Amino acid sequence: MKGKIIYPGKAEGEAIVSLEPIGFYGGVDVKTGKIVEKGHPLEGRTIKDKILVFPHGKGSTVGSYIIYGLKKSGNAPLAIITEDIDTVTAVGVIISEIPCIDGIDIKKIKDGEIIGVDAEKGEIIL
């Protein structure tokens, strides 16, 4: 699958997939990398060292700094794949230097699947 490069880099790992948007501010614990938003489909699961796949972010602009905090604390995803990236997530991956590709049909990626992200070429390898 081909998409738009938001931040370059390469990663391979287990996909953690949400068809629901993620709000990083108040929705993700910086100290653990766990989704803590009540009722979110990924509640209680960690994004640390995973390929995070979701449609787009939601909520406060502070979310960019939460992504940065995740990276600095060692709890960030290896890469991020989105369907229709928002500015908060885009800024977060850029300042955190997390490989990111946008414009992907995320329904084609299965939760738990091992995938490759080549954000140098804008490719997802299933």
Side-chain angles (χ1 to χ4, degrees):
M1 288 191 286
K2 287 283 249 175
K4 178 181 173 186
I5 300 164
I6 303 300
Y7 192 83
K10 295 181 181 183
E12 183 176 321
E14 180 184 344
I16 182 168
V17 180
S18 173
L19 299 180
E20 299 292 322
I22 294 175
F24 288 92
Y25 180 64
V28 181
D29 183 352
V30 174
K31 294 177 183 170
T32 64
K34 284 188 180 179
I35 303 288
V36 294
E37 180 183 339
K38 296 291 181 205
H40 192 279
L42 297 181
E43 182 182 359
R45 295 183 60 195
T46 185
I47 62 174
K48 177 183 178 179
D49 297 331
K50 304 273 173 54
I51 308 295
L52 179 58
V53 181
F54 64 109
H56 55 82
K58 63 180 182 179
S60 173
T61 56
V62 176
S64 299
Y65 298 103
I66 299 300
I67 296 169
Y68 182 73
L70 286 163
K71 180 71 172 195
K72 287 298 179 189
S73 66
N75 295 315
L78 297 171
I80 291 179
I81 299 169
T82 56
E83 205 162 52
D84 186 22
I85 200 162
D86 58 290
T87 55
V88 171
T89 303
V91 168
V93 300
I94 291 166
I95 64 175
S96 305
E97 301 180 343
I98 296 172
C100 181
I101 298 177
D102 180 48
I104 299 296
D105 182 357
I106 64 171
K107 293 176 195 79
K108 292 183 178 179
I109 302 172
K110 293 177 178 65
D111 191 62
E113 180 176 27
I114 303 300
I115 62 172
V117 175
D118 184 344
E120 306 288 327
K121 297 179 182 175
E123 294 179 343
I124 308 297
I125 300 100
L126 302 177

